[in-house]
Amino acid sequence: MRSLNFLTPYAQAISDFRPRLVALSPDSPWLDADPARAGAIRTTGAHTLIVAPLALRGTALGVLSVYRTGGSDPYNEDDVGLALDVASHTALCIDNARRFTSEHTIAATVQRHQLPRPPATDSTVETAQLHVPGAGGGGGWFDTIPLSGARTALVVGEVTGSGIQAATTMGQLRTVIRSLAALDLQPDELLARLNDTAAFLAAERAALPPSDPLHQQPFAASCVYGVYDPVTRTCTFARAGHTTPVIIRPDSSTEVPDSTPGPLLGSAEGPPFAATTTDLPHGSILALYTPAILPTPPADSDHAPALLRDVLAQPGRPLQDLCDDILHILHSKDRPGDAVLLLARTRPFPAHSLATWLLDHDPAAAATARGHTRRTLADWNVDEDTAYAAELIVSELITNAIRYGAPPLQLRLIKNRTLTCEVHDVSATSPQLRHARTVDEGGRGLFIVAQLAQRWGTRYTTEGKSVWSEQTLPQSGK
């Protein structure tokens, strides 16, 4: 970029958007106003100049200048028209490139701000991630979500398309997954409900006017959602048109679990989705990824190629080093989509931070549970206020289970990132929070739990349900 003196034909062409046909000679008066350009003209022996503005929609982008030198024929008016056509086409190409660069920057910024920050250190699972945006900025994402019972949800997904629309849709789906995960849904049920949102977004897109460019882009998204339970040492996952996770065992062997792929989110096929449960010995690595992470995405996305498995089959190495090794095999920057890799290494759950008791289906069980809780939290050095609140919570949960649940009853305390109290029974009846009236003798149990705990909820299993609560542990109690 250089400044132009107004006396030169270059500046004049930009000022009125009209081309100039200029005969050049060593004594042309305007050459003194542009010494650098004058030197080049005299050195090359140029004798004719055409200057055409690079302009689009009333905005000047630059100038096109072409010269005739030596014994060639001078330019004429026909050449001016040709130069003007070339300048118009060049201006359009420049504008398109600027728009693409601007949209790509915006899409990448939106996507970056919607991806999660590095998760806090967890005693049950260690994670690392790799994200390489596609050429146009895309809709790939990953997430790790802490769940009740010291469990962790692991998510990788991808929205078809690129640019700001894909990044925005990715943010919508990620937010919905976060909300559904808080309901403690099973992976297959969560994907089924996520598909309802995806179908709504697809219908909205189809209802756009035909002139809208987004109307021509079919909506589709893939996702794999897994839940790791450090107590049972299992991971249950379901996938919607996504690649199957890869498991690296502590002995360096690799496995791609046999699982049933569900349809893409938002597709006409719709649910059902199938959940698969696999054992994860402590020290295993679970890899969730998008096809673009591979040098050559396979036609059969259900099986990870040997190259990916060979790189990951080093369970003793730091996870971030494994991510860096994968980055080195991403030879091309122009990839069909976002390259996303989420690695999770399982850790032994501290046995001294877990306590479980079977209780009689009897009103006296509430007092027994309070005694167990009091002694255990004292051994765990939990502060007095938290322990007192936990006793009340346990008492109310046990009373609620005795009154409305079915035996056997089980109490479980977990000290991890929070203090979790869980009461399990085999009834599928859903507990409801009640604001009891002044004259009522009961009905305040779950309301008290909700007041004392930071979070509470119900998690359903094939054997019944668990009503749980979580309390934040002060710094001194961790």
Side-chain angles (χ1 to χ4, degrees), residues 100-138:
F100 175 81
T101 301
S102 176
E103 291 179 2
H104 174 73
T105 301
I106 294 173
T109 301
V110 170
Q111 184 183 30
R112 183 170 60 252
H113 283 284
Q114 292 186 116
L115 291 175
R117 298 296 173 262
T121 302
D122 193 279
S123 62
T124 62
V125 65
E126 172 195 359
T127 61
Q129 56 277 328
L130 172 65
H131 176 232
V132 182

Side-chain angles (χ1 to χ4, degrees), residues 196-378:
D196 293 338
T197 298
F200 171 76
L201 295 176
E204 276 194 332
R205 181 174 296 189
L208 292 173
S211 58
D212 194 311
L214 196 59
H215 177 84
Q216 308 300 327
Q217 300 180 18
F219 177 96
S222 65
C223 180
V224 56
Y225 179 87
V227 176
Y228 169 64
D229 188 335
V231 178
T232 61
R233 304 182 186 182
T234 60
C235 179
T236 301
F237 67 90
R239 53 195 184 99
H242 205 85
T243 51
T244 309
V246 177
I247 299 174
I248 300 90
R249 304 290 184 183
D251 61 0
S252 298
S253 62
T254 60
E255 175 190 352
V256 180
D258 185 17
S259 63
T260 303
L264 288 170
L265 296 172
S267 67
E269 298 177 55
F273 300 95
T276 301
T277 299
T278 182
D279 294 329
L280 286 183
H282 291 321
S284 300
I285 296 177
L286 184 67
L288 286 67
Y289 63 97
T290 59
I293 202 72
L294 309 172
T296 304
D300 181 6
S301 61
D302 290 346
H303 295 85
L307 180 58
L308 176 62
R309 299 168 70 170
D310 290 345
V311 173
L312 296 179
Q314 307 173 68
R317 297 188 60 201
L319 293 186
Q320 198 57 57
D321 288 355
L322 295 178
C323 288
D324 293 343
D325 288 347
I326 294 295
L327 181 61
H328 294 158
I329 68 175
L330 298 178
H331 301 294
S332 173
K333 294 183 179 179
D334 186 13
R335 309 192 67 78
D338 285 8
V340 179
L341 174 66
L342 176 62
L343 299 180
R345 174 183 282 131
T346 61
R347 292 174 169 174
F349 189 81
H352 57 81
S353 297
L354 174 68
T356 304
W357 301 273
L358 289 176
L359 301 172
D360 296 330
H361 194 264
D362 183 271
T368 303
R370 287 196 301 271
H372 289 319
T373 302
R374 186 184 312 113
R375 289 187 294 272
T376 301
L377 298 188

Side-chain angles (χ1 to χ4, degrees), residues 59-230:
T59 301
L61 305 178
V63 292
L64 170 69
S65 55
V66 291
Y67 301 84
R68 281 279 173 86
T69 63
S72 58
D73 295 333
Y75 286 126
N76 56 39
E77 290 298 332
D78 292 338
D79 297 322
V80 173
L82 178 60
L84 191 59
D85 289 341
V86 172
S88 298
H89 182 73
T90 302
L92 181 61
C93 293
I94 293 174
D95 186 66
N96 287 341
R98 291 173 59 183
R99 286 174 176 270
F100 175 81
T101 301
S102 176
E103 291 179 2
H104 174 73
T105 301
I106 294 173
T109 301
V110 170
Q111 184 183 30
R112 183 170 60 252
H113 283 284
Q114 292 186 116
L115 291 175
R117 298 296 173 262
T121 302
D122 193 279
S123 62
T124 62
V125 65
E126 172 195 359
T127 61
Q129 56 277 328
L130 172 65
H131 176 232
V132 182
W141 87 92
F142 61 88
D143 211 346
T144 58
I145 308 171
L147 301 177
S148 64
R151 299 170 306 139
T152 302
L154 306 167
V155 190
V156 166
E158 186 175 23
V159 177
T160 57
S162 61
I164 187 66
Q165 295 296 340
T168 302
T169 304
M170 175 272 287
Q172 291 174 309
L173 294 181
R174 177 174 175 257
T175 300
V176 172
I177 288 178
R178 279 261 169 179
S179 299
L180 293 175
L183 299 178
D184 270 323
L185 301 177
Q186 294 295 319
D188 52 338
E189 185 179 354
L190 183 141
L191 288 186
R193 298 197 184 189
L194 181 64
N195 187 71
D196 293 338
T197 298
F200 171 76
L201 295 176
E204 276 194 332
R205 181 174 296 189
L208 292 173
S211 58
D212 194 311
L214 196 59
H215 177 84
Q216 308 300 327
Q217 300 180 18
F219 177 96
S222 65
C223 180
V224 56
Y225 179 87
V227 176
Y228 169 64
D229 188 335

